[in-house]
Amino acid sequence: MTQKMHIKLTVNGEDKEFLAEPRELLIYALRENLNITGPHVGCETSHCGACTVTLNGKSVKSCTMFVAQANGAEITTIEGLGTPDSLHVLQEAFKEHHGLQCGFCTPGMITRASKLLEENPTPTEEEVRFGMAGNICRCTGYQNIVKSILAAANELNASKEAAQ
Amino acid sequence: MIPAAFEYHRPTNMDDVIAILTKHGDDARVMAGGHSLIPMMKLRMAEVPHLIDLQDIGGLQDITIDGRRVTLGAMVTQHELVNHQALANVAPILRETALQIADPQVRYMGTVGGNVANGDPGNDMPGLMQCLDAQINLVGPDGARSVAARDYYEAAYMTTREDDEVLVSVSFDAPKGGYAYEKQKRKIGDYATAAAAVTITKDGGTVASASIAMTNLSDVPVWSETACDALIGTDCNADALKASVEAMLGDIDPTEDNRGPVAFKRHVAGVILKRAITRAWDRA
């Protein structure tokens, strides 16, 4: 065991400080040090995307990053996107269009999709499928996930137009 | 999965990186995006007592385009290769290749430098760099030097880079004419069963020059000069394609693994090269 490091993160707008070994994976730092349990440990081998968070504006798999690398970073998890009382547009769309069954992959799916729509607000179905290719779902067959993301894109664009 | 313990270094200049490498020798390794090294450390196939994170070193994130000369800093990510419009204008084969690497999340972190330096036969950038006749730029305690990508790879995970040297950038002349990066993989995120990087220039109706490199079909990337020679002077007709594929098959040495037996890999290599040449010729 090596000496613990002093780690500072900004998670969902809140400053967090804690001690951790540099080898601790970011996903475990979030879940076990900070009790932020939205991002899930799925495959733990950077394939499934259940642990996806937004880190300094990038969608990253938090199982493939040491907490030491993330030191100083700004992180958004599913907890930072919406709340049970005030769902994010993507959460509402997943609910409406049955974009989940067991729900295990959903935090990673929605966190990734939020970044995808930020970079490309009007994606085609093909672009959604390509942009979501780092997230695996074992229930839905993806059809309704794609439908949910396209519906959320329409909703976001409609409210943007209405605001103008 | 918990890797072996390590001391974490995040220096802010290259002199400090070299000093840590010199001090700790084999026990120290640099890390760019970490998307090859971290999985290896988690599996405990790599043990790195001193891990040097390059994220705070200035100048490694730059894409420099000077006329046709392109230099990519070691920390340029695959995501940046995909989204950099000026690079896509001058050398679109970089975007075409990067889009076929891994998945979106991995492309945000995975870097050119890591992909080139790692020496994994499955990485796509080494073959592309050989196709482009790139120079690999290193710095070490004795200063800077450049090595041709075609001379860089010795065996799987073995390159001409010394343990106390750091790969800082790659540079190449943007290819003229047509290009293609064609890759067969089992699923998104997989390494290639076979991949081919091809550039072709046309003079009148015939091939003036060609460059062909293959990925994951030997323990190093394979630049096949004989496959290029088989195309030059032809109009890329069926016989020329067949001769080029035959020549390439003489240069590769695939091994059986979970992507298939040797005969299958040789078959796929031929299909992929034919497609890549055809697309590059159409674009020439």
Side-chain angles (χ1 to χ4, degrees):
Chain A
M1 175 147 151
T2 43
Q3 185 125 21
K4 289 193 173 181
M5 272 179 76
H6 187 206
I7 304 286
K8 279 188 189 183
L9 302 174
T10 305
V11 187
N12 302 324
E14 284 181 41
D15 291 338
K16 306 280 187 185
E17 296 190 29
F18 55 98
L19 294 173
E21 278 192 80
R23 65 173 161 172
E24 188 167 316
L25 299 171
L26 177 60
I27 182 69
Y28 290 111
L30 292 171
R31 291 180 59 85
E32 292 175 14
N33 298 53
L34 303 178
N35 203 28
I36 293 168
T37 54
H40 289 158
V41 182
C43 69
E44 220 190 339
T45 54
S46 51
H47 289 97
C48 80
C51 64
T52 300
V53 301
T54 309
L55 182 137
N56 293 337
K58 303 169 170 191
S59 292
V60 304
K61 294 180 175 177
S62 58
C63 77
T64 308
M65 175 170 284
F66 296 124
V67 69
Q69 278 175 283
N71 196 10
E74 280 191 30
I75 296 170
T76 304
T77 69
I78 187 74
E79 286 90 342
L81 292 178
T83 65
D85 297 330
S86 169
L87 294 180
H88 185 274
V89 175
L90 275 159
Q91 290 171 316
E92 197 65 60
F94 270 64
K95 184 179 155 192
E96 184 67 25
H97 297 278
H98 205 98
L100 66 151
Q101 287 182 29
C102 86
F104 190 85
C105 71
T106 313
M109 284 284 174
I110 290 181
T111 307
R112 168 59 196 145
S114 69
K115 186 70 203 164
L116 173 65
L117 293 186
E118 194 185 307
E119 291 184 352
N120 181 1
T122 53
T124 61
E125 176 181 339
E126 198 188 343
E127 285 167 342
V128 169
R129 288 183 182 274
F130 194 73
M132 296 301 295
N135 293 73
I136 293 174
C137 172
R138 287 301 182 226
C139 303
T140 64
Y142 302 100
Q143 187 58 40
N144 286 349
I145 291 176
V146 174
K147 205 196 268 180
S148 304
I149 295 169
L150 289 169
N154 282 337
E155 178 68 29
L156 285 165
N157 293 330
S159 52
K160 233 184 281 170
E161 268 174 39
Q164 276 169 0
Chain B
M1 279 187 270
I2 303 169
F6 56 82
E7 193 172 323
Y8 177 77
H9 305 264
R10 201 197 280 189
T12 53
N13 63 71
M14 195 49 76
D15 288 346
D16 289 350
V17 176
I18 303 293
I20 299 166
L21 285 172
T22 306
K23 183 173 173 196
H24 296 290
D26 276 0
D27 279 351
R29 258 186 94 166
V30 301
M31 177 175 71
H35 273 50
S36 296
L37 185 56
I38 294 172
M40 299 281 278
M41 290 172 71
K42 285 163 69 180
L43 293 166
R44 300 216 178 195
M45 289 163 75
E47 198 171 328
V48 183
H50 290 272
L51 184 68
I52 309 170
D53 186 343
L54 297 178
Q55 68 172 294
D56 284 350
I57 310 289
L60 298 183
Q61 288 85 0
D62 300 335
I63 295 175
T64 313
I65 302 168
D66 182 7
R68 296 202 70 80
R69 191 69 180 169
V70 177
T71 300
L72 306 174
M75 293 290 282
V76 170
T77 63
Q78 314 298 349
H79 179 81
E80 286 156 349
L81 292 183
V82 170
N83 288 288
H84 197 285
Q85 194 52 50
L87 179 66
N89 292 345
V90 68
I93 194 170
L94 271 297
R95 175 184 281 176
E96 182 158 301
T97 306
L99 277 170
Q100 296 180 65
I101 296 176
D103 63 45
Q105 284 95 319
V106 175
R107 287 195 292 271
Y108 279 105
M109 291 303 297
T111 63
V112 174
N115 203 286
V116 169
N118 193 30
D120 185 329
N123 286 145
D124 294 283
M125 285 291 157
L128 177 60
M129 291 304 143
Q130 291 199 343
C131 173
L132 298 175
D133 198 14
Q135 291 290 313
I136 292 172
N137 305 313
L138 308 167
V139 297
D142 302 326
R145 70 181 177 115
S146 293
V147 184
R150 291 173 191 171
D151 299 328
Y152 190 71
Y153 298 95
E154 295 173 335
Y157 304 102
M158 301 282 286
T159 67
T160 58
R161 185 182 58 80
E162 300 292 338
D163 282 341
D164 56 3
E165 287 182 311
V166 180
L167 190 158
V168 291
S169 63
V170 294
S171 34
F172 53 87
D173 289 330
K176 293 178 180 160
Y179 66 91
Y181 194 81
E182 188 80 29
K183 178 176 178 179
Q184 168 66 43
K185 54 189 175 182
R186 296 171 302 176
K187 58 177 268 295
I188 287 277
D190 193 20
Y191 285 144
T193 305
V198 174
T199 60
I200 291 176
T201 61
K202 205 183 213 173
D203 185 14
T206 61
V207 175
S209 70
S211 183
I212 293 172
M214 308 299 292
T215 290
N216 219 11
L217 293 161
S218 284
D219 66 345
V220 290
V222 175
W223 181 67
S224 179
E225 193 168 10
T226 53
C228 306
D229 290 344
L231 293 180
I232 292 167
T234 75
D235 62 354
C236 267
N237 56 41
D239 287 344
L241 279 176
K242 203 174 158 201
S244 182
V245 166
E246 280 304 316
M248 176 277 291
L249 290 173
D251 286 345
I252 63 170
D253 183 21
T255 50
E256 179 170 341
D257 60 18
N258 55 9
R259 292 181 188 84
V262 170
F264 176 69
K265 290 187 170 186
R266 294 176 65 81
H267 169 73
V268 176
V271 171
I272 289 299
L273 179 56
K274 216 181 280 181
R275 284 185 196 164
I277 293 171
T278 304
R279 198 140 47 93
W281 176 246
D282 285 347
R283 287 166 165 173

